[in-house]
Amino acid sequence: MYNELPAKEHQAIEEALLHDPELASICADLLLAQRTLNELQRGPRESTTRSILQYSRTFMQKS
C-alpha cells in the first residue's frame, strides 16, 4: 500500500495478487480507500475559523 516492503517481499505480494482474485479484490478496495482518504480536506471549516477569530476578538476589545 505504501511501498514500504523490501523488493523481494514486494515481488512476492505481487505474485500472490496475480494468483488470488479474492486477495486482489481486497487490495483494490484498500487502495481505493487509501486514495479517498488522502483526498479528504485536512483543516477546519471556514465557519469554525471565523468563530474562533470572532471569539478571540472579545478578549482584544476588553484590554
Side-chain angles (χ1 to χ4, degrees), residues 32-44:
L32 178 60
Q34 177 191 37
R35 190 176 309 123
T36 302
L37 289 171
N38 286 340
E39 292 173 1
L40 291 177
Q41 181 180 0
R42 295 183 183 124

Side-chain angles (χ1 to χ4, degrees), residues 9-25 27:
E9 290 179 34
H10 183 81
Q11 185 178 7
I13 289 177
E14 285 185 354
E15 281 290 318
L17 290 170
L18 289 173
H19 296 92
D20 186 339
E22 185 179 354
L23 182 61
S25 177
C27 184

Side-chain angles (χ1 to χ4, degrees), residues 1-2 10 13 15 18-19 22 24 28-31 34 36 39 46 53 55-59 62-63:
M1 301 283 303
Y2 293 99
H10 183 81
I13 289 177
E15 281 290 318
L18 289 173
H19 296 92
E22 185 179 354
D29 289 343
L30 290 171
L31 288 170
Q34 177 191 37
T36 302
E39 292 173 1
E46 183 64 32
L53 290 173
Y55 179 76
S56 70
R57 287 186 192 107
T58 63
F59 292 103
K62 291 180 183 179
S63 298

